[in-house]
Amino acid sequence: MTKNTVTITDNATGKQVELPVVEGTMGASAIDVRSLNKELGLFTYDPGFQSTASCQSAITYIDGDKGVLLYRGYPIEQLAAHSSYLEVCYLLVYGELPSPKQLEEFQAVILSHTMLHEGLRRFYGGFRHDAHPMAIMVGIVGALSAFYHDSTDVTDPSHREVSAHRLIAKMPTIAAASYKYSIGQPFIYPDNNLGYVENYLRMMFAVPTSAYEINPLFVKAMELILILHADHEQNASTSTVRLSSSSGTNPFASIAAGIACLWGPAHGGANESVIRMLDEIESPAEIPKYIARAKDKNDPFRLMGFGHRIYKNYDPRAKIIRQMCHDLLKELGSENQPQFETALELERIALEDDYFVAKKLYPNVDFYSGLILRAMGIPLNTFTVIFAMARTVGWIAQWMEMMDDPEQKIGRPRQVYTGNLPRDYPGAKKKK
Ligand code: CMC
């Protein structure tokens, strides 16, 4: 849909170009700059893509000022209250909520793909015992393309669908095995009589020598974490998946690239940093010292779990997960209590403090998800693995949308060159 236009004048040459404005159904519109280089010989310059829309997408909508997050038009609050993670997966991938029969069939398909090829299981043994679980995830997910050749023809929609199912189904198995390997325990095979989340928790925490009882509150909390992290528009890892897939590579390879990007502390690693910060703060009495440090321009310290690039209002996911965090920590009691008390006091002070209020630095989803995961006994280095597991469906939905987009082209940004002018290699003859 194009109604508006924007005229750009190159003041050096006086040349002008009228550019169309691309309008979506909601939110900001974008100037279509595709003819800019042809008309004016100029590129746009936007490091970090702060003013650039890389695609048109119908999957996720965010209004950061109002604190709105929608998956396929449905508010995250309603999905968190009424849906399940697998239903959200269906919604993201296929665009509509499933009927009860469609959901049943989808669950059956996903469960039929939960096992890993035995050869792939042997891959784990090649990693050092102390390998970071995210390093293992990048390697194993990338290696899936060497095992499932029958679903790597990305020009074939049925291959695309099978690889989507495989990735959603196998991610919990791969994630749990990464953890088991790091602690030297035997891998637990999936049990397809269990639900998606129950299965993951059992593969994480069961041992072959005794029965494992699944705590229903853990299931609820994990289901919520997965739903809240399932997609988040064109963030760094999703853009990585889109860019790498734009060359036509297979989805296993590009999801491995997405996992690599997510691993970074500025993206998926924030909830881990929240726990490290709370460990450092130790007790509520120490908080004023850390608040003062966060405000000090000369101190690089920031309050982890506060602020967001897009949400300049309360992160809607934080509102939802806050209650779950309170419920879980209340039920589990004393062991996690000191850290929880510090977190609550930090939250209270930051929400009232002029600096944080003026800069709209509210607690984000990572502030609470870190506390929940720690309370469930998930080790710090596995927090991002769970984020990767949850986000896999978002990456897949975005990839599938891109593959069907007639405007899709290989991603190839340009640059403003700032290097040397042409010069001669020492001793080489000058070209005439
Ligand atoms: N503690 C103290 N000051 C802060 C914080 C913080 N957590 N966050 C931002 N500020 C200040 C910052 O110093 C700057 O001040 P000034 O305008 O005086 O220079 C102002 O607020 C704006 O900050 P910014 O870095 O320009 O904002 P941004 O949108 O680029 O950064 C952010 C967003 C999330 C990187 C940042 O808020 C931050 O570092 N937060 C802590 C880390 C964190 O919790 N990250 C998880 C984000 S959610 C991840 C996800 O959704 O996937």
Side-chain angles (χ1 to χ4, degrees), residues 124-131 136 181:
Y124 284 84
F127 288 99
R128 268 176 63 132
H129 72 281
D130 55 356
I136 300 181
Y181 183 73

Side-chain angles (χ1 to χ4, degrees), residues 112-338:
S112 73
H113 286 295
T114 51
M115 284 213 307
L116 292 184
H117 190 289
E118 283 298 304
L120 190 61
R121 283 168 60 95
R122 283 196 289 277
F123 259 52
Y124 284 84
F127 288 99
R128 268 176 63 132
H129 72 281
D130 55 356
H132 194 290
M134 282 299 275
I136 300 181
M137 292 294 286
V138 174
I140 299 284
V141 173
L144 287 174
S145 44
F147 287 85
Y148 300 102
H149 297 278
D150 58 341
S151 62
T152 50
D153 177 1
V154 296
T155 61
D156 181 337
S158 70
H159 276 225
R160 300 210 288 261
E161 189 172 32
V162 175
S163 57
H165 292 161
R166 282 188 167 139
L167 277 158
I168 296 168
K170 292 184 197 306
M171 207 51 96
T173 317
I174 295 171
S178 309
Y179 170 61
K180 285 295 195 196
Y181 183 73
S182 72
I183 57 167
Q185 284 187 3
F187 297 174
I188 304 290
Y189 279 96
D191 174 352
N192 291 350
N193 296 309
L194 296 175
Y196 190 86
V197 171
E198 289 86 341
N199 217 344
Y200 169 67
L201 291 174
R202 185 177 156 277
M203 289 188 286
M204 276 291 284
F205 296 120
V207 285
T209 45
S210 42
Y212 173 67
E213 266 199 38
I214 301 170
N215 181 333
L217 196 57
F218 282 16
V219 176
K220 248 175 110 180
M222 186 57 78
E223 188 99 35
L224 185 63
I225 287 178
L226 296 184
I227 292 174
L228 298 183
H229 287 87
D231 195 46
H232 212 227
E233 216 229 49
Q234 308 308 321
N235 56 82
S237 58
T238 302
S239 299
T240 301
V241 169
R242 278 189 179 256
L243 187 61
S244 56
S245 313
S246 75
S247 69
T249 192
N250 69 75
F252 304 115
S254 42
I255 299 276
I259 296 172
C261 176
L262 186 74
W263 191 0
H267 192 1
N271 51 11
E272 196 179 321
S273 317
V274 170
I275 298 300
R276 291 192 201 286
M277 177 188 74
L278 291 174
D279 280 346
E280 196 187 314
I281 295 179
E282 273 183 357
S283 79
E286 298 284 300
I287 292 174
K289 192 174 96 195
Y290 285 89
I291 296 269
R293 282 189 62 194
K295 292 186 202 174
D296 181 355
K297 282 236 163 290
N298 300 316
D299 189 330
F301 176 80
R302 281 187 169 194
L303 275 195
M304 287 295 130
F306 286 80
H308 198 276
R309 168 62 67 82
I310 308 281
Y311 296 117
K312 300 302 176 194
N313 196 324
Y314 222 100
D315 177 344
R317 302 166 302 171
K319 264 192 198 159
I320 299 166
I321 205 173
R322 183 176 188 270
Q323 189 57 47
M324 172 59 74
C325 181
H326 285 214
D327 292 350
L328 191 81
L329 283 144
K330 223 183 273 162
E331 170 157 322
L332 293 180
S334 57
E335 199 188 318
N336 298 286
Q337 218 51 38

Side-chain angles (χ1 to χ4, degrees), residues 133 179 182-183 204-205 373-374 377-384 386:
Y179 170 61
S182 72
I183 57 167
M204 276 291 284
F205 296 120
L373 293 175
R374 163 148 294 183
I378 308 268
L380 274 188
N381 66 6
T382 299
F383 285 12
T384 321
I386 289 167

